[in-house]
Every structure is written in structure tokens, then in C-alpha cells.
Amino acid sequence: MKKSALVAAIGLSLVLLTGALSGCSSKEAASGDKVLYVGTQNDYPPFAFTNDKNELTGYDVEVVKEIDKKLDGYKIEFVPSGWDAIFLALDANKVQIIADEVAKNPEREKKYLFSDESYFSAQSVIIVKKGRTDIHSLKDLEGKKVAASVGDSYTQLLEQYNAKNGNKIILKYNDTGTSSDNLQDVQNGRVDAYVNDPVMAAATIKKEGLQVEAVGEPVQSDNINLVFKKDKQGEELKAKIDPIIKELKADGTLKKLSEQWTGGEFIPQ
């Protein structure tokens, strides 16, 4: 991704967030509950997206709504934004939680707190133009152009592979960062492949009628967690929310939501 385009996009997102959420960390709802702002995307079906009624919904969104029902003293509101802007908003306390299919990794854990309880298990698969038969593994991507969004787990997986194998995969960073655009690039031949979650890919492929498909075996599986700022407030929220996620697992709520939104049960034990 070109640095100038990324900086401009992030700058615009932060301006919008700052204007809309000024003072949000101390804002209270009409009920007297403290408002918590949750950052997520609005174009990542079936996890977080805007539906035909212009309502934010999806698996991650509905999980947070269930948490909201059990979180005493707080009212949750969502802040849809781009992937990169979500983390900058958390850094600036413009949002207090991220719910956006974020996987733990050592680099992120140095900077952020993660819920101990995972609420989804995400796979990583290779997606190619339908009918293509020469790509089945990361090894097959060597010498090929692969779509990538800066900072997401799937791009980090490819970057780690490159670091160990001589940078043989040609990463083509997408300025917009949207999964839909990356999938369209695969269909139109601008790139050879894209690595992402098969559930998200299937939903986007169906919605947009794309001629692409997942191939080979999953290259990685990751547990997905909520993200908090690494400070006192983050510690307090984590301590309150972890038992709720555990309860939603135990009573079958997460299983039901996973089956509803993804077509399968992807709940880690």
C-alpha cells in the first residue's frame, strides 16, 4: 500500500471519529449507563456489515449485542470504520473495544489486551479464480501476485512466510483494504490469489456473484478475541467481559449465532 494513500485514509477516518465521538470516554447514555464504543468494520460479511436496511449486523456485531445485554452499568454503541483506523481509534480512546475478527499474535499482545475467552475460530484459506488448478498451498504462491491488506492477520501470515522463505510471494497491498476489492482483483486477474477466511469469502462471493473459490486445505486456524487498550480501563473491561463470553459459550448462544451467520459451529472450547 502506498504510504501517502494510507496516511490520507487514516487521517480522514480519524477526523470523522474525532468529530463524532469527542469526549466519548466519559459520555453516559440516557439511562445513566456509561457508553462503550466498539470499533468494527461495516463491509466484512458475515461478521460485520451494513445490511439492506442500513443496519450494522453480522456475527461479531450480534455477539457484542449479547454481551451488552449482560454487561451491567454500560451501554454499547458501534463505530464502523476501516481496518487501520480501528486500532488508531483504540489508541486514542475513541473506541474502548475492537470486535473485528482479530486474532492474537505476539506483536499485537505487546501493545493491546485481548480477552482470555475466544468467541470464534477462524481459518485461513487461499482463494483463486474459479477453475484455476495450479495453486493449492503457500508454496504454490511463490512467484505469484497475492492481494494483501496492511496489518490484517492474513497479510501477516504471508509476510511471515516471506520472511522465512526469501520473499518469494509478491504481495500487492490494496489501498482500500476491503476484502471485496481483493476478491474482485482475483476474479479480474490483477492478482493470482488472496488469503482470507472462507466464511467471509463465501458470503461475499455469493452476494457479489464472483467467480472465485477457496482451494487446498486451510493454511492456518486462529482463535478470535475482543481487543482492549492496555491500561486500567482496558483491564477492568476485560475482567467484566471475559466471564460473559464464557457464559455465552456455555449456554449455547455463541453456537447458535455461529450457525446462523456462518453456516457452521466455529466456537473454540
mmCIF file with all atom_site columns, all heavy atoms in Angstrom, residues 4 13 16 37 42 47 55 58 72 77 79 83 85 90 108 119 121 134 136 160 165 197 200 204-205 218 238:
data_model
loop_
_atom_site.group_PDB
_atom_site.id
_atom_site.type_symbol
_atom_site.label_atom_id
_atom_site.label_alt_id
_atom_site.label_comp_id
_atom_site.label_asym_id
_atom_site.label_entity_id
_atom_site.label_seq_id
_atom_site.pdbx_PDB_ins_code
_atom_site.Cartn_x
_atom_site.Cartn_y
_atom_site.Cartn_z
_atom_site.occupancy
_atom_site.B_iso_or_equiv
_atom_site.pdbx_formal_charge
_atom_site.auth_seq_id
_atom_site.auth_comp_id
_atom_site.auth_asym_id
_atom_site.auth_atom_id
_atom_site.pdbx_PDB_model_num
ATOM 1   N N   . SER A 1 4   ? 1.341   7.340   1.197   1.00 0.00 ? 4   SER A N   1
ATOM 2   C CA  . SER A 1 4   ? 0.555   8.570   1.148   1.00 0.00 ? 4   SER A CA  1
ATOM 3   C C   . SER A 1 4   ? -0.928  8.279   1.158   1.00 0.00 ? 4   SER A C   1
ATOM 4   O O   . SER A 1 4   ? -1.719  8.959   1.812   1.00 0.00 ? 4   SER A O   1
ATOM 5   C CB  . SER A 1 4   ? 0.918   9.384   -0.096  1.00 0.00 ? 4   SER A CB  1
ATOM 6   O OG  . SER A 1 4   ? 0.689   8.633   -1.265  1.00 0.00 ? 4   SER A OG  1
ATOM 7   N N   . SER A 1 13  ? -10.306 9.056   8.405   1.00 0.00 ? 13  SER A N   1
ATOM 8   C CA  . SER A 1 13  ? -11.085 8.263   9.352   1.00 0.00 ? 13  SER A CA  1
ATOM 9   C C   . SER A 1 13  ? -11.002 8.836   10.750  1.00 0.00 ? 13  SER A C   1
ATOM 10  O O   . SER A 1 13  ? -11.999 8.911   11.475  1.00 0.00 ? 13  SER A O   1
ATOM 11  C CB  . SER A 1 13  ? -10.577 6.814   9.359   1.00 0.00 ? 13  SER A CB  1
ATOM 12  O OG  . SER A 1 13  ? -10.770 6.220   8.110   1.00 0.00 ? 13  SER A OG  1
ATOM 13  N N   . LEU A 1 16  ? -13.118 11.972  11.164  1.00 0.00 ? 16  LEU A N   1
ATOM 14  C CA  . LEU A 1 16  ? -14.529 11.641  11.319  1.00 0.00 ? 16  LEU A CA  1
ATOM 15  C C   . LEU A 1 16  ? -14.812 11.096  12.708  1.00 0.00 ? 16  LEU A C   1
ATOM 16  O O   . LEU A 1 16  ? -15.794 11.443  13.355  1.00 0.00 ? 16  LEU A O   1
ATOM 17  C CB  . LEU A 1 16  ? -14.934 10.610  10.258  1.00 0.00 ? 16  LEU A CB  1
ATOM 18  C CG  . LEU A 1 16  ? -14.910 11.104  8.804   1.00 0.00 ? 16  LEU A CG  1
ATOM 19  C CD1 . LEU A 1 16  ? -15.184 9.946   7.854   1.00 0.00 ? 16  LEU A CD1 1
ATOM 20  C CD2 . LEU A 1 16  ? -15.936 12.211  8.588   1.00 0.00 ? 16  LEU A CD2 1
ATOM 21  N N   . TYR A 1 37  ? -17.758 2.417   23.308  1.00 0.00 ? 37  TYR A N   1
ATOM 22  C CA  . TYR A 1 37  ? -17.754 2.412   21.858  1.00 0.00 ? 37  TYR A CA  1
ATOM 23  C C   . TYR A 1 37  ? -16.939 1.226   21.358  1.00 0.00 ? 37  TYR A C   1
ATOM 24  O O   . TYR A 1 37  ? -15.817 0.992   21.818  1.00 0.00 ? 37  TYR A O   1
ATOM 25  C CB  . TYR A 1 37  ? -17.190 3.726   21.321  1.00 0.00 ? 37  TYR A CB  1
ATOM 26  C CG  . TYR A 1 37  ? -18.126 4.885   21.573  1.00 0.00 ? 37  TYR A CG  1
ATOM 27  C CD1 . TYR A 1 37  ? -17.975 5.691   22.708  1.00 0.00 ? 37  TYR A CD1 1
ATOM 28  C CD2 . TYR A 1 37  ? -19.165 5.166   20.700  1.00 0.00 ? 37  TYR A CD2 1
ATOM 29  C CE1 . TYR A 1 37  ? -18.839 6.742   22.946  1.00 0.00 ? 37  TYR A CE1 1
ATOM 30  C CE2 . TYR A 1 37  ? -20.028 6.220   20.926  1.00 0.00 ? 37  TYR A CE2 1
ATOM 31  C CZ  . TYR A 1 37  ? -19.870 7.005   22.053  1.00 0.00 ? 37  TYR A CZ  1
ATOM 32  O OH  . TYR A 1 37  ? -20.728 8.041   22.285  1.00 0.00 ? 37  TYR A OH  1
ATOM 33  N N   . ASN A 1 42  ? -17.665 -2.238  8.483   1.00 0.00 ? 42  ASN A N   1
ATOM 34  C CA  . ASN A 1 42  ? -19.052 -2.337  8.026   1.00 0.00 ? 42  ASN A CA  1
ATOM 35  C C   . ASN A 1 42  ? -19.148 -2.983  6.647   1.00 0.00 ? 42  ASN A C   1
ATOM 36  O O   . ASN A 1 42  ? -20.192 -2.913  5.999   1.00 0.00 ? 42  ASN A O   1
ATOM 37  C CB  . ASN A 1 42  ? -19.718 -0.960  8.010   1.00 0.00 ? 42  ASN A CB  1
ATOM 38  C CG  . ASN A 1 42  ? -19.075 -0.001  7.027   1.00 0.00 ? 42  ASN A CG  1
ATOM 39  O OD1 . ASN A 1 42  ? -18.070 -0.327  6.390   1.00 0.00 ? 42  ASN A OD1 1
ATOM 40  N ND2 . ASN A 1 42  ? -19.626 1.189   6.914   1.00 0.00 ? 42  ASN A ND2 1
ATOM 41  N N   . PHE A 1 47  ? -19.438 -11.156 9.222   1.00 0.00 ? 47  PHE A N   1
ATOM 42  C CA  . PHE A 1 47  ? -19.019 -10.835 10.583  1.00 0.00 ? 47  PHE A CA  1
ATOM 43  C C   . PHE A 1 47  ? -19.427 -9.433  11.030  1.00 0.00 ? 47  PHE A C   1
ATOM 44  O O   . PHE A 1 47  ? -19.855 -9.242  12.172  1.00 0.00 ? 47  PHE A O   1
ATOM 45  C CB  . PHE A 1 47  ? -17.498 -11.007 10.706  1.00 0.00 ? 47  PHE A CB  1
ATOM 46  C CG  . PHE A 1 47  ? -17.046 -12.401 10.406  1.00 0.00 ? 47  PHE A CG  1
ATOM 47  C CD1 . PHE A 1 47  ? -16.365 -12.691 9.240   1.00 0.00 ? 47  PHE A CD1 1
ATOM 48  C CD2 . PHE A 1 47  ? -17.311 -13.434 11.287  1.00 0.00 ? 47  PHE A CD2 1
ATOM 49  C CE1 . PHE A 1 47  ? -15.954 -13.983 8.946   1.00 0.00 ? 47  PHE A CE1 1
ATOM 50  C CE2 . PHE A 1 47  ? -16.908 -14.729 11.019  1.00 0.00 ? 47  PHE A CE2 1
ATOM 51  C CZ  . PHE A 1 47  ? -16.225 -15.013 9.832   1.00 0.00 ? 47  PHE A CZ  1
ATOM 52  N N   . GLU A 1 55  ? -28.510 -1.271  8.469   1.00 0.00 ? 55  GLU A N   1
ATOM 53  C CA  . GLU A 1 55  ? -28.252 -1.613  9.867   1.00 0.00 ? 55  GLU A CA  1
ATOM 54  C C   . GLU A 1 55  ? -26.948 -2.399  9.961   1.00 0.00 ? 55  GLU A C   1
ATOM 55  O O   . GLU A 1 55  ? -26.683 -3.280  9.135   1.00 0.00 ? 55  GLU A O   1
ATOM 56  C CB  . GLU A 1 55  ? -29.394 -2.462  10.421  1.00 0.00 ? 55  GLU A CB  1
ATOM 57  C CG  . GLU A 1 55  ? -30.747 -1.790  10.382  1.00 0.00 ? 55  GLU A CG  1
ATOM 58  C CD  . GLU A 1 55  ? -31.887 -2.765  10.643  1.00 0.00 ? 55  GLU A CD  1
ATOM 59  O OE1 . GLU A 1 55  ? -31.728 -3.966  10.338  1.00 0.00 ? 55  GLU A OE1 1
ATOM 60  O OE2 . GLU A 1 55  ? -32.932 -2.306  11.132  1.00 0.00 ? 55  GLU A OE2 1
ATOM 61  N N   . GLY A 1 58  ? -24.198 -8.806  11.669  1.00 0.00 ? 58  GLY A N   1
ATOM 62  C CA  . GLY A 1 58  ? -23.180 -9.814  11.415  1.00 0.00 ? 58  GLY A CA  1
ATOM 63  C C   . GLY A 1 58  ? -22.801 -10.543 12.689  1.00 0.00 ? 58  GLY A C   1
ATOM 64  O O   . GLY A 1 58  ? -23.200 -10.152 13.799  1.00 0.00 ? 58  GLY A O   1
ATOM 65  N N   . ASP A 1 72  ? -23.554 -5.075  33.026  1.00 0.00 ? 72  ASP A N   1
ATOM 66  C CA  . ASP A 1 72  ? -24.197 -4.084  33.900  1.00 0.00 ? 72  ASP A CA  1
ATOM 67  C C   . ASP A 1 72  ? -23.414 -2.778  33.937  1.00 0.00 ? 72  ASP A C   1
ATOM 68  O O   . ASP A 1 72  ? -22.181 -2.778  34.002  1.00 0.00 ? 72  ASP A O   1
ATOM 69  C CB  . ASP A 1 72  ? -24.319 -4.632  35.327  1.00 0.00 ? 72  ASP A CB  1
ATOM 70  C CG  . ASP A 1 72  ? -25.284 -5.809  35.423  1.00 0.00 ? 72  ASP A CG  1
ATOM 71  O OD1 . ASP A 1 72  ? -26.168 -5.911  34.549  1.00 0.00 ? 72  ASP A OD1 1
ATOM 72  O OD2 . ASP A 1 72  ? -25.145 -6.614  36.359  1.00 0.00 ? 72  ASP A OD2 1
ATOM 73  N N   . GLU A 1 77  ? -22.226 1.067   21.960  1.00 0.00 ? 77  GLU A N   1
ATOM 74  C CA  . GLU A 1 77  ? -22.534 1.626   20.657  1.00 0.00 ? 77  GLU A CA  1
ATOM 75  C C   . GLU A 1 77  ? -21.392 1.285   19.700  1.00 0.00 ? 77  GLU A C   1
ATOM 76  O O   . GLU A 1 77  ? -20.240 1.225   20.105  1.00 0.00 ? 77  GLU A O   1
ATOM 77  C CB  . GLU A 1 77  ? -22.727 3.149   20.739  1.00 0.00 ? 77  GLU A CB  1
ATOM 78  C CG  . GLU A 1 77  ? -23.952 3.553   21.555  1.00 0.00 ? 77  GLU A CG  1
ATOM 79  C CD  . GLU A 1 77  ? -24.203 5.053   21.539  1.00 0.00 ? 77  GLU A CD  1
ATOM 80  O OE1 . GLU A 1 77  ? -23.530 5.766   20.750  1.00 0.00 ? 77  GLU A OE1 1
ATOM 81  O OE2 . GLU A 1 77  ? -25.062 5.511   22.322  1.00 0.00 ? 77  GLU A OE2 1
ATOM 82  N N   . VAL A 1 79  ? -18.952 1.755   16.288  1.00 0.00 ? 79  VAL A N   1
ATOM 83  C CA  . VAL A 1 79  ? -18.304 2.769   15.453  1.00 0.00 ? 79  VAL A CA  1
ATOM 84  C C   . VAL A 1 79  ? -17.701 2.052   14.239  1.00 0.00 ? 79  VAL A C   1
ATOM 85  O O   . VAL A 1 79  ? -16.611 1.496   14.315  1.00 0.00 ? 79  VAL A O   1
ATOM 86  C CB  . VAL A 1 79  ? -17.198 3.512   16.222  1.00 0.00 ? 79  VAL A CB  1
ATOM 87  C CG1 . VAL A 1 79  ? -16.552 4.562   15.318  1.00 0.00 ? 79  VAL A CG1 1
ATOM 88  C CG2 . VAL A 1 79  ? -17.748 4.156   17.480  1.00 0.00 ? 79  VAL A CG2 1
ATOM 89  N N   . TRP A 1 83  ? -10.207 -0.848  8.617   1.00 0.00 ? 83  TRP A N   1
ATOM 90  C CA  . TRP A 1 83  ? -9.376  -1.711  9.459   1.00 0.00 ? 83  TRP A CA  1
ATOM 91  C C   . TRP A 1 83  ? -8.288  -0.940  10.201  1.00 0.00 ? 83  TRP A C   1
ATOM 92  O O   . TRP A 1 83  ? -8.156  -1.042  11.417  1.00 0.00 ? 83  TRP A O   1
ATOM 93  C CB  . TRP A 1 83  ? -8.767  -2.818  8.589   1.00 0.00 ? 83  TRP A CB  1
ATOM 94  C CG  . TRP A 1 83  ? -7.707  -3.619  9.273   1.00 0.00 ? 83  TRP A CG  1
ATOM 95  C CD1 . TRP A 1 83  ? -6.359  -3.475  9.140   1.00 0.00 ? 83  TRP A CD1 1
ATOM 96  C CD2 . TRP A 1 83  ? -7.888  -4.691  10.209  1.00 0.00 ? 83  TRP A CD2 1
ATOM 97  N NE1 . TRP A 1 83  ? -5.694  -4.385  9.929   1.00 0.00 ? 83  TRP A NE1 1
ATOM 98  C CE2 . TRP A 1 83  ? -6.600  -5.146  10.593  1.00 0.00 ? 83  TRP A CE2 1
ATOM 99  C CE3 . TRP A 1 83  ? -9.012  -5.313  10.751  1.00 0.00 ? 83  TRP A CE3 1
ATOM 100 C CZ2 . TRP A 1 83  ? -6.423  -6.191  11.488  1.00 0.00 ? 83  TRP A CZ2 1
ATOM 101 C CZ3 . TRP A 1 83  ? -8.825  -6.355  11.656  1.00 0.00 ? 83  TRP A CZ3 1
ATOM 102 C CH2 . TRP A 1 83  ? -7.557  -6.782  12.010  1.00 0.00 ? 83  TRP A CH2 1
ATOM 103 N N   . ALA A 1 85  ? -7.969  2.280   10.795  1.00 0.00 ? 85  ALA A N   1
ATOM 104 C CA  . ALA A 1 85  ? -8.491  3.331   11.671  1.00 0.00 ? 85  ALA A CA  1
ATOM 105 C C   . ALA A 1 85  ? -9.016  2.778   12.989  1.00 0.00 ? 85  ALA A C   1
ATOM 106 O O   . ALA A 1 85  ? -9.024  3.475   14.003  1.00 0.00 ? 85  ALA A O   1
ATOM 107 C CB  . ALA A 1 85  ? -9.595  4.103   10.957  1.00 0.00 ? 85  ALA A CB  1
ATOM 108 N N   . LEU A 1 90  ? -8.673  3.012   18.923  1.00 0.00 ? 90  LEU A N   1
ATOM 109 C CA  . LEU A 1 90  ? -8.467  2.407   20.242  1.00 0.00 ? 90  LEU A CA  1
ATOM 110 C C   . LEU A 1 90  ? -7.299  3.076   20.955  1.00 0.00 ? 90  LEU A C   1
ATOM 111 O O   . LEU A 1 90  ? -7.386  3.380   22.155  1.00 0.00 ? 90  LEU A O   1
ATOM 112 C CB  . LEU A 1 90  ? -8.210  0.907   20.093  1.00 0.00 ? 90  LEU A CB  1
ATOM 113 C CG  . LEU A 1 90  ? -8.036  0.114   21.388  1.00 0.00 ? 90  LEU A CG  1
ATOM 114 C CD1 . LEU A 1 90  ? -9.307  0.158   22.231  1.00 0.00 ? 90  LEU A CD1 1
ATOM 115 C CD2 . LEU A 1 90  ? -7.651  -1.337  21.085  1.00 0.00 ? 90  LEU A CD2 1
ATOM 116 N N   . ARG A 1 108 ? 0.824   -8.130  18.436  1.00 0.00 ? 108 ARG A N   1
ATOM 117 C CA  . ARG A 1 108 ? -0.338  -7.390  18.927  1.00 0.00 ? 108 ARG A CA  1
ATOM 118 C C   . ARG A 1 108 ? -0.418  -7.424  20.447  1.00 0.00 ? 108 ARG A C   1
ATOM 119 O O   . ARG A 1 108 ? -0.827  -6.447  21.075  1.00 0.00 ? 108 ARG A O   1
ATOM 120 C CB  . ARG A 1 108 ? -1.616  -7.966  18.320  1.00 0.00 ? 108 ARG A CB  1
ATOM 121 C CG  . ARG A 1 108 ? -1.797  -7.633  16.839  1.00 0.00 ? 108 ARG A CG  1
ATOM 122 C CD  . ARG A 1 108 ? -3.007  -8.318  16.263  1.00 0.00 ? 108 ARG A CD  1
ATOM 123 N NE  . ARG A 1 108 ? -3.150  -8.031  14.844  1.00 0.00 ? 108 ARG A NE  1
ATOM 124 C CZ  . ARG A 1 108 ? -3.819  -8.788  13.990  1.00 0.00 ? 108 ARG A CZ  1
ATOM 125 N NH1 . ARG A 1 108 ? -4.413  -9.896  14.424  1.00 0.00 ? 108 ARG A NH1 1
ATOM 126 N NH2 . ARG A 1 108 ? -3.911  -8.453  12.717  1.00 0.00 ? 108 ARG A NH2 1
ATOM 127 N N   . TYR A 1 119 ? -14.127 -16.027 20.964  1.00 0.00 ? 119 TYR A N   1
ATOM 128 C CA  . TYR A 1 119 ? -15.541 -16.188 20.591  1.00 0.00 ? 119 TYR A CA  1
ATOM 129 C C   . TYR A 1 119 ? -15.729 -16.758 19.189  1.00 0.00 ? 119 TYR A C   1
ATOM 130 O O   . TYR A 1 119 ? -16.863 -16.958 18.748  1.00 0.00 ? 119 TYR A O   1
ATOM 131 C CB  . TYR A 1 119 ? -16.296 -14.865 20.739  1.00 0.00 ? 119 TYR A CB  1
ATOM 132 C CG  . TYR A 1 119 ? -15.848 -13.747 19.820  1.00 0.00 ? 119 TYR A CG  1
ATOM 133 C CD1 . TYR A 1 119 ? -16.450 -13.552 18.580  1.00 0.00 ? 119 TYR A CD1 1
ATOM 134 C CD2 . TYR A 1 119 ? -14.839 -12.857 20.212  1.00 0.00 ? 119 TYR A CD2 1
ATOM 135 C CE1 . TYR A 1 119 ? -16.051 -12.520 17.744  1.00 0.00 ? 119 TYR A CE1 1
ATOM 136 C CE2 . TYR A 1 119 ? -14.433 -11.820 19.380  1.00 0.00 ? 119 TYR A CE2 1
ATOM 137 C CZ  . TYR A 1 119 ? -15.047 -11.667 18.159  1.00 0.00 ? 119 TYR A CZ  1
ATOM 138 O OH  . TYR A 1 119 ? -14.650 -10.645 17.322  1.00 0.00 ? 119 TYR A OH  1
ATOM 139 N N   . SER A 1 121 ? -13.422 -19.291 15.946  1.00 0.00 ? 121 SER A N   1
ATOM 140 C CA  . SER A 1 121 ? -12.199 -19.905 15.431  1.00 0.00 ? 121 SER A CA  1
ATOM 141 C C   . SER A 1 121 ? -12.171 -19.705 13.922  1.00 0.00 ? 121 SER A C   1
ATOM 142 O O   . SER A 1 121 ? -13.018 -20.253 13.201  1.00 0.00 ? 121 SER A O   1
ATOM 143 C CB  . SER A 1 121 ? -12.163 -21.393 15.769  1.00 0.00 ? 121 SER A CB  1
ATOM 144 O OG  . SER A 1 121 ? -10.975 -21.985 15.290  1.00 0.00 ? 121 SER A OG  1
ATOM 145 N N   . ASP A 1 134 ? -3.476  -24.599 -10.457 1.00 0.00 ? 134 ASP A N   1
ATOM 146 C CA  . ASP A 1 134 ? -2.039  -24.639 -10.157 1.00 0.00 ? 134 ASP A CA  1
ATOM 147 C C   . ASP A 1 134 ? -1.689  -24.147 -8.765  1.00 0.00 ? 134 ASP A C   1
ATOM 148 O O   . ASP A 1 134 ? -0.512  -24.128 -8.386  1.00 0.00 ? 134 ASP A O   1
ATOM 149 C CB  . ASP A 1 134 ? -1.262  -23.816 -11.192 1.00 0.00 ? 134 ASP A CB  1
ATOM 150 C CG  . ASP A 1 134 ? -1.657  -22.344 -11.180 1.00 0.00 ? 134 ASP A CG  1
ATOM 151 O OD1 . ASP A 1 134 ? -2.857  -22.056 -10.959 1.00 0.00 ? 134 ASP A OD1 1
ATOM 152 O OD2 . ASP A 1 134 ? -0.781  -21.485 -11.392 1.00 0.00 ? 134 ASP A OD2 1
ATOM 153 N N   . HIS A 1 136 ? -2.498  -24.562 -4.606  1.00 0.00 ? 136 HIS A N   1
ATOM 154 C CA  . HIS A 1 136 ? -3.154  -25.320 -3.538  1.00 0.00 ? 136 HIS A CA  1
ATOM 155 C C   . HIS A 1 136 ? -2.535  -25.045 -2.168  1.00 0.00 ? 136 HIS A C   1
ATOM 156 O O   . HIS A 1 136 ? -3.100  -25.455 -1.160  1.00 0.00 ? 136 HIS A O   1
ATOM 157 C CB  . HIS A 1 136 ? -3.076  -26.820 -3.818  1.00 0.00 ? 136 HIS A CB  1
ATOM 158 C CG  . HIS A 1 136 ? -3.701  -27.225 -5.114  1.00 0.00 ? 136 HIS A CG  1
ATOM 159 N ND1 . HIS A 1 136 ? -5.061  -27.387 -5.271  1.00 0.00 ? 136 HIS A ND1 1
ATOM 160 C CD2 . HIS A 1 136 ? -3.145  -27.475 -6.333  1.00 0.00 ? 136 HIS A CD2 1
ATOM 161 C CE1 . HIS A 1 136 ? -5.333  -27.736 -6.522  1.00 0.00 ? 136 HIS A CE1 1
ATOM 162 N NE2 . HIS A 1 136 ? -4.179  -27.793 -7.188  1.00 0.00 ? 136 HIS A NE2 1
ATOM 163 N N   . GLN A 1 160 ? 5.104   -13.357 7.188   1.00 0.00 ? 160 GLN A N   1
ATOM 164 C CA  . GLN A 1 160 ? 5.923   -14.283 7.968   1.00 0.00 ? 160 GLN A CA  1
ATOM 165 C C   . GLN A 1 160 ? 6.487   -15.396 7.081   1.00 0.00 ? 160 GLN A C   1
ATOM 166 O O   . GLN A 1 160 ? 7.647   -15.803 7.233   1.00 0.00 ? 160 GLN A O   1
ATOM 167 C CB  . GLN A 1 160 ? 5.099   -14.868 9.116   1.00 0.00 ? 160 GLN A CB  1
ATOM 168 C CG  . GLN A 1 160 ? 4.778   -13.853 10.202  1.00 0.00 ? 160 GLN A CG  1
ATOM 169 C CD  . GLN A 1 160 ? 3.663   -14.305 11.127  1.00 0.00 ? 160 GLN A CD  1
ATOM 170 O OE1 . GLN A 1 160 ? 3.184   -15.443 11.045  1.00 0.00 ? 160 GLN A OE1 1
ATOM 171 N NE2 . GLN A 1 160 ? 3.232   -13.418 12.011  1.00 0.00 ? 160 GLN A NE2 1
ATOM 172 N N   . ASN A 1 165 ? 11.216  -17.489 3.852   1.00 0.00 ? 165 ASN A N   1
ATOM 173 C CA  . ASN A 1 165 ? 11.448  -18.158 2.567   1.00 0.00 ? 165 ASN A CA  1
ATOM 174 C C   . ASN A 1 165 ? 11.936  -17.223 1.463   1.00 0.00 ? 165 ASN A C   1
ATOM 175 O O   . ASN A 1 165 ? 11.735  -17.500 0.283   1.00 0.00 ? 165 ASN A O   1
ATOM 176 C CB  . ASN A 1 165 ? 10.167  -18.859 2.117   1.00 0.00 ? 165 ASN A CB  1
ATOM 177 C CG  . ASN A 1 165 ? 9.747   -19.969 3.054   1.00 0.00 ? 165 ASN A CG  1
ATOM 178 O OD1 . ASN A 1 165 ? 10.259  -21.085 2.990   1.00 0.00 ? 165 ASN A OD1 1
ATOM 179 N ND2 . ASN A 1 165 ? 8.812   -19.669 3.954   1.00 0.00 ? 165 ASN A ND2 1
ATOM 180 N N   . ASP A 1 197 ? -10.491 -15.596 5.274   1.00 0.00 ? 197 ASP A N   1
ATOM 181 C CA  . ASP A 1 197 ? -11.376 -16.546 5.941   1.00 0.00 ? 197 ASP A CA  1
ATOM 182 C C   . ASP A 1 197 ? -12.399 -17.102 4.946   1.00 0.00 ? 197 ASP A C   1
ATOM 183 O O   . ASP A 1 197 ? -13.031 -16.332 4.218   1.00 0.00 ? 197 ASP A O   1
ATOM 184 C CB  . ASP A 1 197 ? -12.080 -15.839 7.099   1.00 0.00 ? 197 ASP A CB  1
ATOM 185 C CG  . ASP A 1 197 ? -13.152 -16.693 7.705   1.00 0.00 ? 197 ASP A CG  1
ATOM 186 O OD1 . ASP A 1 197 ? -12.819 -17.742 8.277   1.00 0.00 ? 197 ASP A OD1 1
ATOM 187 O OD2 . ASP A 1 197 ? -14.343 -16.335 7.582   1.00 0.00 ? 197 ASP A OD2 1
ATOM 188 N N   . MET A 1 200 ? -16.118 -15.622 5.392   1.00 0.00 ? 200 MET A N   1
ATOM 189 C CA  . MET A 1 200 ? -16.279 -14.293 4.818   1.00 0.00 ? 200 MET A CA  1
ATOM 190 C C   . MET A 1 200 ? -16.286 -14.358 3.307   1.00 0.00 ? 200 MET A C   1
ATOM 191 O O   . MET A 1 200 ? -17.132 -13.750 2.633   1.00 0.00 ? 200 MET A O   1
ATOM 192 C CB  . MET A 1 200 ? -15.138 -13.387 5.293   1.00 0.00 ? 200 MET A CB  1
ATOM 193 C CG  . MET A 1 200 ? -15.145 -11.959 4.741   1.00 0.00 ? 200 MET A CG  1
ATOM 194 S SD  . MET A 1 200 ? -14.696 -11.708 3.008   1.00 0.00 ? 200 MET A SD  1
ATOM 195 C CE  . MET A 1 200 ? -13.127 -12.573 2.929   1.00 0.00 ? 200 MET A CE  1
ATOM 196 N N   . THR A 1 204 ? -19.254 -13.063 0.635   1.00 0.00 ? 204 THR A N   1
ATOM 197 C CA  . THR A 1 204 ? -19.009 -12.019 -0.362  1.00 0.00 ? 204 THR A CA  1
ATOM 198 C C   . THR A 1 204 ? -19.162 -12.557 -1.777  1.00 0.00 ? 204 THR A C   1
ATOM 199 O O   . THR A 1 204 ? -19.719 -11.891 -2.649  1.00 0.00 ? 204 THR A O   1
ATOM 200 C CB  . THR A 1 204 ? -17.610 -11.417 -0.169  1.00 0.00 ? 204 THR A CB  1
ATOM 201 O OG1 . THR A 1 204 ? -17.478 -10.929 1.173   1.00 0.00 ? 204 THR A OG1 1
ATOM 202 C CG2 . THR A 1 204 ? -17.369 -10.273 -1.141  1.00 0.00 ? 204 THR A CG2 1
ATOM 203 N N   . ILE A 1 205 ? -18.671 -13.770 -2.002  1.00 0.00 ? 205 ILE A N   1
ATOM 204 C CA  . ILE A 1 205 ? -18.785 -14.393 -3.323  1.00 0.00 ? 205 ILE A CA  1
ATOM 205 C C   . ILE A 1 205 ? -20.257 -14.541 -3.708  1.00 0.00 ? 205 ILE A C   1
ATOM 206 O O   . ILE A 1 205 ? -20.657 -14.236 -4.840  1.00 0.00 ? 205 ILE A O   1
ATOM 207 C CB  . ILE A 1 205 ? -18.082 -15.769 -3.329  1.00 0.00 ? 205 ILE A CB  1
ATOM 208 C CG1 . ILE A 1 205 ? -16.562 -15.582 -3.245  1.00 0.00 ? 205 ILE A CG1 1
ATOM 209 C CG2 . ILE A 1 205 ? -18.448 -16.567 -4.575  1.00 0.00 ? 205 ILE A CG2 1
ATOM 210 C CD1 . ILE A 1 205 ? -15.815 -16.866 -2.918  1.00 0.00 ? 205 ILE A CD1 1
ATOM 211 N N   . PRO A 1 218 ? -6.970  -25.597 4.694   1.00 0.00 ? 218 PRO A N   1
ATOM 212 C CA  . PRO A 1 218 ? -6.682  -24.365 5.438   1.00 0.00 ? 218 PRO A CA  1
ATOM 213 C C   . PRO A 1 218 ? -5.194  -24.271 5.781   1.00 0.00 ? 218 PRO A C   1
ATOM 214 O O   . PRO A 1 218 ? -4.580  -25.268 6.169   1.00 0.00 ? 218 PRO A O   1
ATOM 215 C CB  . PRO A 1 218 ? -7.534  -24.508 6.704   1.00 0.00 ? 218 PRO A CB  1
ATOM 216 C CG  . PRO A 1 218 ? -8.656  -25.404 6.296   1.00 0.00 ? 218 PRO A CG  1
ATOM 217 C CD  . PRO A 1 218 ? -8.050  -26.381 5.308   1.00 0.00 ? 218 PRO A CD  1
ATOM 218 N N   . LYS A 1 238 ? -11.979 -5.971  30.421  1.00 0.00 ? 238 LYS A N   1
ATOM 219 C CA  . LYS A 1 238 ? -11.630 -7.360  30.167  1.00 0.00 ? 238 LYS A CA  1
ATOM 220 C C   . LYS A 1 238 ? -12.132 -8.255  31.300  1.00 0.00 ? 238 LYS A C   1
ATOM 221 O O   . LYS A 1 238 ? -12.706 -9.334  31.058  1.00 0.00 ? 238 LYS A O   1
ATOM 222 C CB  . LYS A 1 238 ? -10.119 -7.483  30.013  1.00 0.00 ? 238 LYS A CB  1
ATOM 223 C CG  . LYS A 1 238 ? -9.600  -8.897  29.805  1.00 0.00 ? 238 LYS A CG  1
ATOM 224 C CD  . LYS A 1 238 ? -8.083  -8.870  29.706  1.00 0.00 ? 238 LYS A CD  1
ATOM 225 C CE  . LYS A 1 238 ? -7.490  -10.252 29.567  1.00 0.00 ? 238 LYS A CE  1
ATOM 226 N NZ  . LYS A 1 238 ? -7.872  -11.200 30.628  1.00 0.00 ? 238 LYS A NZ  1
#
